[in-house]
Amino acid sequence: GVSGRTARPATAGPLIGRATELARLERVARLAEAGSPQCVLIGGATGIGKTRLMAHVSDSLEEGGARIIRTTCMRFGTPGLPLAPVRGALRQLAADPGRRALRLLLPRSDALLQLLPEFGASDVPEPQTFELFGALLQQLGERRSLVLTIDDLQSADRATRDLLGFLVRTLRSARVLVMAAYRTDDLPESHPLRPCLANLGQVPCVTTLSPGHLNRAETAELLAAELGRRPGAELVQRLYRRSAGNPLFAQELARAGDAGHLPDSLRALLLQRVTTLPGTARHVVELASIADRAVPHQLLARVSGLPEDELLAAVQRAAEARTLLVRSDRYDFSHPLVRDAVRESLLPVERRLLHRAFAEAIDGRPDLLPPGESATQLAFHWSEAGEAKAPSAFLQAAGERLCPAELARVLDRMLSLSPELPAPERLDLHLSAIKAASLGGEFLDMSRLVDRALDLVLAQPVQDGARVALLYAYKSIAAHHVGEEGAPAAAEKALAAMPGDAGPARARILDMVAMIFAQYGRGARAVELAEQAAALAVDRGEVALEANARITIAWALGRAGAYAEAVGPLREAGRLLGPSPDPLQACRLHLNRASVLHGLGDYQGAIAAARQGVAATGQAGLARSLGAETAIALGLLLFLGGRWEEMKDVVAAALARDLPGGSGAAFHALLGYVALQQGDSDRARRELEQAETLAFDGGSARPWRLLTAVQRSEVALAGNEPEAARSAVRSALPYAPDSGCPPLAWALLAAGAQVERTLRLRARALSLKDDDTFRAELRDAARSMRSDSPTLAAFAAQVSAELGEPGATWSGLAATWEGLGSPYYAARAHVRAAEAALRDGDRATAKTHLAKAHEGATGLGARPMLEEIAWFGRQTGPRPPDERADGRGDLRQMGLTNRESDVLGLLAAGRSNRQIGEALGITTKTVSTHVSNLLAKLGVASRGEAAAALYRMRGTDISSR
């Protein structure tokens, strides 16, 4: 625990997440800097990071030259300290700039200073205080940007609240920003700050912010900063779920080593509102903590034995104290850790007795809970009460219609309570729990259960080979999903352990192993094993097993890019399953149909199939397992189909399900990729960082590895870092041929070819040596990959065009992408076709291609592409007769002087302003002026875009090099 340790300041460490809030605060700060006073009210629960956010913004503005005055409100008993923020501000100003300077600013400032004990502490009438303090801020803000921060506004006295209202309505034409933070969980309905906030919210210069919880990736970043190392996936999951994304709670749990109990400092914080409740209300809160979820009113009434009016009054007091939240007819805690803290405050004997009371209440009146919930809750309470009835109660709960994840938890709990079960029965429970965890997407739990089951079965004197083989097959699946090495090795062990007469179990294991081999580039072996599984199923008349194997055959063929060959097995699987297939098989069928149609170029059909798959997985409780994979496929298809806003909705819905590692990485990468193409480079980088935070370290070839590499490459290229872009592609290039997702593998090669083209252009523009090593690497990778389906052929043609291969034309490629229904890639091809036409002097053709590119990019909101199109559009005008081959004619046409052209050349070579100044014998300030001028003349927003413009202008006949 952290008992006895000095708590770290709330502002310590990096600010994680909060991109939306920072963007809004940046806009507000700009308004204040321009002379329009602003006020920001930041509200949120304890530990959510209000103070940290306010401090981060203040520190940033202070670095920019603003004066920062940091104050806080304080409560002593019921009333707050009168005008505490004013006193705090005055104390700081009396020290700097000092009393004399204050008198020069405001002749009557001494009257304000009389509020401080060290200067007399006489009473000053409130209206006069408000007027003088407002005038002082006004004067300070006229000379230098001023930021006044007020923390713990919920503890403010009436005068402070009135003062805040006075300031936001009276400050005029001064560079003043007021930021105030308050805790929402300290604001009962009757709190006097509530009407104050409501009134302030009506004032135009007031902005309200409510920072939310961190997502899984941001929590992982926070833990990495706290621990000084990258946390494992299991630790991230455990702390994210316990903290529910609350930054302070996650930090405290991490510092305590995430022990089973709460650290003392955190427990005291969580209990501070509970300890002030009167006896009955506190007793009701303690009863509610015994449930592991929101407790229905009728169940709480039965357990408490209180008269209805007393119970309602107690709940009302707890709700006013923001300890219990009222959700329809149920009562929940403001945070799961508050429940834990209250429960831990009870004596162990008390807890057991209360759990027994809940169990008896549910046993006597099961109707107090929904049918699917009563059995699991009864089992939970009997087990926590330490009663012998618990195992049989869990057995009953396991027979209910539970979602897979809930069933896995029930069976896992049964196993922990039944150490005396004979090994065969115990192993049966393990296998049921493993299957449920797999279907529910609880792959970390699945991995743990598999290891325990293997220990159990391998310890037996006579081993059941089929069971051993099945467990190794499960181990390969778990290893794949949690990012561990060794999934193919575990699959090989499954084959080696399997006896020849395993019956239907053999078909099932062969099918599972085939799925793993297909994921790791062993397509031929996967097809062979799945065909064996199908033959065994046919021999035994196992229709469902045969259908499953047929789907796996299609899966393996599709992962290898053999889409046409996959159509037959999928059609046969659909025939076998009939109109009402098992939900799991239906999901697999839809996912594979989407993959095959994608490869065959039918994007709209693929999107429809993927949508069916997502809907089916949601209904079957598979949203975090097979549903995540299907949603990734749908996201990629929506991107290719130009339906980017729909893609964002799909990704947001998927991420809301707290998806584990690789899946979450893929979704963040998708969001980042679209953000980059739409011109939001900051968000693109943030999403990329979150994707890489969630990505596994394992060396397996997975789609998200390629997706993050593509995004990393394009982010680097947009930032004028082609060498970094090349490194990003190279890091994933070995995985491309066996990635199991040929379209993404080709997309990686296309990104690499774009990088190689940029490097080639730069080498020509700057008269550098052209190194063709990377080009050769890309060509070698391309030769090892299939390109015999419409989508793959289009990507292969794009790679050839980027590499300047003979016969590759951008105009033909644009028509190909248009035929496939991919507006983004079509627009990119049209831009390149226009560029090629300009090189050939065919301005009419260039204009035609640019018009088509503009139409596509406009529909997508692809702002950087639109800027590029506009740039080329300016190139299609009349050209002077003395145009020079080195591109200076182009530069003069854009209005650049010779000196600006020299600066641009050095800038494109990666030189800093200081280095450019030294090379040209001019000052850094002069260089900065030249850079600003040439950016404006070129119509670009950054140094990277200016460099890219130079590469393009000097890239004549690059395909011949």
Side-chain angles (χ1 to χ4, degrees):
V2 296
S3 179
R5 292 174 54 186
T6 302
R8 191 175 303 187
T11 57
L15 182 70
I16 305 296
R18 307 304 180 215
T20 302
E21 292 85 352
L22 287 173
R24 291 186 66 191
L25 285 168
E26 183 180 347
R27 289 194 292 271
V28 169
R30 283 200 298 267
L31 289 172
E33 173 64 27
S36 174
Q38 299 292 308
C39 175
V40 180
L41 302 173
I42 307 173
T46 300
I48 205 66
K50 308 173 296 298
T51 301
R52 179 72 186 90
L53 176 63
M54 196 161 60
H56 176 87
V57 173
S58 299
D59 291 346
S60 176
L61 294 174
E62 189 170 33
E63 289 176 5
R67 176 189 291 278
I68 311 298
I69 302 176
R70 296 177 172 87
T71 70
T72 189
C73 300
M74 292 172 282
R75 182 178 293 279
F76 296 105
T78 300
L81 179 67
L83 293 172
V86 174
R87 298 171 196 270
L90 292 174
R91 192 164 278 115
Q92 293 171 56
L93 292 171
D96 178 22
R99 296 184 67 181
R100 182 175 179 182
L102 289 178
R103 289 193 196 100
L104 293 174
L105 282 172
L106 187 69
R108 296 199 57 204
S109 61
D110 276 343
L112 273 177
L113 292 176
Q114 293 298 311
L115 290 169
L116 302 177
E118 55 266 42
F119 299 116
S122 63
D123 290 332
V124 181
E126 282 179 7
Q128 187 177 355
T129 300
F130 295 178
E131 290 280 0
L132 290 174
F133 190 67
L136 180 58
L137 296 184
Q138 186 94 22
Q139 291 298 317
L140 289 166
E142 287 180 0
R143 288 159 176 77
R144 174 184 174 190
S145 290
L146 176 72
V147 179
L148 171 66
T149 70
I150 306 173
D151 206 357
D152 288 331
L153 189 63
Q154 75 282 347
S155 297
D157 67 305
R158 180 191 57 79
T160 298
R161 297 191 298 270
D162 292 345
L163 170 67
L164 194 56
F166 175 84
L167 293 177
V168 300
R169 289 178 173 86
T170 58
L171 285 176
R172 293 287 183 273
S173 303
R175 292 179 292 171
V176 177
L177 171 62
V178 179
M179 291 190 290
Y182 60 93
R183 289 202 297 268
T184 53
D185 43 8
D186 278 353
L187 293 184
E189 294 300 325
S190 59
H191 197 288
L193 183 60
R194 284 188 175 275
C196 174
L197 294 172
N199 290 330
L200 290 172
Q202 305 303 312
V203 182
C205 70
V206 174
T207 299
T208 59
L209 290 180
S210 300
H213 294 89
L214 302 182
N215 62 29
R216 181 187 280 247
E218 291 164 343
T219 301
E221 288 183 62
L222 184 72
L223 296 176
E226 179 62 36
L227 300 173
R229 57 179 171 80
R230 180 174 178 171
E234 186 174 358
L235 180 63
V236 171
Q237 175 162 296
R238 190 164 64 247
L239 293 190
Y240 175 61
R241 288 183 174 177
R242 289 198 75 194
S243 69
N246 183 293
L248 176 63
F249 297 171
Q251 282 182 311
E252 289 292 332
L253 290 170
R255 293 171 195 168
D258 187 35
H261 64 278
L262 294 170
D264 292 343
S265 59
L266 183 54
R267 183 186 300 107
L269 178 65
L270 295 166
L271 290 176
Q272 63 183 0
R273 285 187 299 278
V274 178
T275 55
T276 62
L277 290 173
T280 303
R282 178 166 181 171
H283 176 61
V284 167
V285 169
E286 290 170 348
L287 285 176
S289 76
I290 295 300
D292 69 339
R293 61 191 70 188
V295 59
H297 175 82
Q298 292 302 326
L299 178 57
L300 188 61
R302 188 174 178 86
V303 174
S304 70
L306 291 170
E308 189 77 5
D309 57 344
E310 287 188 34
L311 176 60
L312 289 173
V315 169
Q316 185 65 38
R317 290 296 297 270
E320 286 176 355
R322 311 294 289 176
T323 299
L324 286 183
L325 301 180
V326 180
R327 305 187 189 280
S328 185
D329 65 339
R330 290 187 171 223
Y331 308 127
D332 204 355
F333 284 84
S334 56
H335 193 281
L337 286 181
V338 178
R339 175 188 287 109
D340 293 348
V342 175
R343 186 188 295 133
E344 285 185 18
S345 70
L346 301 172
L347 294 173
V349 173
E350 283 184 281
R351 289 199 294 270
R352 286 197 297 272
L353 291 173
L354 291 175
H355 278 295
R356 181 183 180 85
F358 268 89
E360 290 173 342
I362 296 170
D363 203 13
R365 286 281 308 278
D367 59 307
L368 294 174
L369 289 166
E373 196 176 314
S374 59
T376 56
Q377 285 298 291
L378 183 63
F380 164 72
H381 287 297
W382 279 133
S383 67
E384 292 297 312
E387 292 289 336
K389 298 179 181 181
S392 60
F394 273 112
L395 186 62
Q396 180 185 347
E400 299 282 348
R401 293 179 60 85
L402 304 175
C403 70
E406 181 75 10
L407 178 59
R409 285 190 287 271
V410 166
L411 294 172
D412 193 7
R413 186 66 173 159
M414 268 188 76
L415 285 165
S416 67
L417 292 171
S418 310
E420 75 291 342
L421 277 178
E425 294 179 33
R426 193 168 181 78
L427 186 56
D428 285 342
L429 278 179
H430 265 104
L431 288 169
S432 297
I434 289 165
K435 181 180 179 181
S438 173
L439 294 175
E442 300 294 343
F443 297 114
L444 290 167
D445 291 339
M446 178 188 179
S447 181
R448 174 178 51 80
L449 287 163
V450 168
D451 288 341
R452 280 167 38 189
L454 274 171
D455 290 342
L456 177 66
V457 74
L458 294 176
Q460 300 304 307
V462 179
Q463 294 176 5
D464 182 339
R467 289 288 179 89
V468 173
L470 181 59
L471 285 170
Y472 275 120
Y474 274 131
K475 185 172 180 64
S476 68
I477 293 172
H480 171 74
H481 282 288
V482 302
E484 294 176 356
E485 299 288 355
E492 293 286 5
K493 287 184 178 181
L495 294 177
M498 186 167 51
D501 59 348
R506 182 179 181 85
R508 182 183 175 197
I509 293 165
L510 288 171
D511 185 50
M512 293 167 69
V513 169
M515 286 192 290
I516 288 298
F517 284 159
Q519 298 269 22
Y520 289 81
R522 303 184 187 183
R525 184 92 185 278
V527 170
E528 176 191 349
L529 294 175
E531 285 178 340
Q532 290 179 27
L536 281 171
V538 170
D539 289 344
R540 294 180 175 271
E542 297 279 355
V543 175
L545 271 177
E546 182 192 352
N548 222 39
R550 301 288 178 203
I551 295 172
T552 301
I553 292 170
W555 168 261
L557 290 169
R559 303 287 281 188
Y563 299 111
E565 295 96 315
V567 172
L570 271 184
R571 187 180 293 118
E572 179 62 14
R575 184 190 68 77
L576 289 167
L577 291 175
S580 302
D582 167 85
L584 175 60
Q585 290 176 317
C587 297
R588 293 192 68 212
L589 193 63
H590 292 313
L591 172 59
N592 282 277
R593 279 178 176 158
S595 173
V596 169
L597 291 172
H598 175 187
L600 295 175
D602 182 1
Y603 291 167
Q604 299 312 312
I607 288 171
R611 282 202 182 279
Q612 286 180 291
V614 169
T617 56
Q619 293 166 2
L622 307 174
R624 297 186 71 249
S625 52
L626 190 59
E629 195 160 353
T630 311
I632 291 171
L634 177 57
L636 284 168
L637 287 162
L638 289 170
F639 174 81
L640 286 170
R643 293 155 66 170
W644 290 2
E645 295 308 312
E646 289 181 58
M647 190 214 81
K648 292 176 188 177
D649 292 340
V650 167
V651 171
L655 285 174
R657 298 188 183 100
D658 177 30
L659 297 173
S663 299
F667 287 120
H668 282 294
L670 278 171
L671 285 177
Y673 196 70
V674 168
L676 185 66
Q677 309 314 324
Q678 292 187 325
D680 191 346
S681 56
D682 288 340
R683 178 165 187 185
R685 289 186 176 87
R686 288 195 308 272
E687 295 290 353
L688 176 60
E689 289 168 359
Q690 292 190 40
E692 292 176 338
T693 295
L694 289 178
F696 299 132
D697 289 325
S700 59
R702 291 181 217 181
W704 55 258
R705 182 181 295 279
L706 306 187
L707 196 56
T708 54
V710 170
Q711 189 189 351
R712 171 61 68 187
S713 165
E714 296 225 8
V715 165
L717 209 56
N720 193 27
E721 300 175 287
E723 288 87 358
R726 178 172 58 192
S727 296
V729 174
R730 272 180 167 157
S731 70
L733 204 55
Y735 306 112
D738 299 329
S739 67
C741 188
L744 265 183
W746 275 109
L748 176 74
L749 265 63
Q754 183 183 8
V755 173
E756 197 280 335
R757 178 179 182 274
T758 300
L759 289 166
R760 217 177 337 144
L761 285 169
R762 187 173 72 163
R764 182 173 180 82
L766 302 177
S767 301
L768 302 174
K769 184 178 182 300
D770 183 14
D771 182 2
D772 63 357
T773 306
F774 185 46
R775 198 179 321 160
E777 292 172 10
L778 293 170
R779 284 172 173 158
D780 288 344
R783 280 192 289 269
S784 68
M785 289 162 46
R786 294 186 66 144
S787 59
D788 54 349
S789 70
T791 294
L792 303 188
F795 273 119
Q798 181 158 323
V799 171
S800 295
E802 292 280 16
L803 293 178
E805 304 280 5
T809 67
W810 285 108
S811 58
L813 183 59
T816 298
W817 282 120
E818 284 175 341
L820 290 173
S822 183
Y824 171 67
Y825 282 110
R828 282 180 72 161
H830 277 301
V831 172
R832 293 288 169 263
E835 185 177 4
L838 281 172
R839 283 201 304 268
D840 295 338
D842 187 350
R843 283 169 172 66
T845 299
K847 286 182 178 180
T848 300
H849 281 297
L850 289 177
K852 291 180 178 178
H854 187 274
E855 181 182 358
T858 301
L860 297 169
R863 188 164 56 83
M865 190 185 294
L866 288 169
E867 292 171 356
E868 188 176 13
I869 291 166
W871 190 89
F872 276 119
R874 293 192 292 272
Q875 296 259 91
T876 60
R879 296 168 69 90
D882 62 340
E883 176 183 293
R884 292 173 51 176
D886 67 354
R888 272 193 193 270
D890 296 282
L891 297 176
R892 279 203 297 272
Q893 184 183 357
M894 303 303 292
L896 267 66
T897 65
N898 286 341
R899 173 64 83 189
E900 287 167 348
S901 299
D902 292 336
V903 170
L904 177 58
L906 292 168
L907 181 152
R911 305 286 181 85
S912 68
N913 283 5
R914 181 181 59 79
Q915 291 169 328
I916 294 171
E918 291 172 353
L920 298 178
I922 57 180
T923 66
T924 302
K925 184 175 181 180
T926 301
V927 173
S928 179
T929 300
H930 284 315
V931 170
S932 297
N933 290 340
L934 67 87
L935 291 179
K937 291 177 181 180
L938 291 174
V940 295
S942 69
R943 297 163 68 96
E945 292 174 8
L950 178 64
Y951 304 156
R952 287 194 294 266
M953 284 185 286
R954 295 186 176 179
T956 308
D957 298 328
I958 60 168
S959 60
S960 64
R961 289 181 61 84

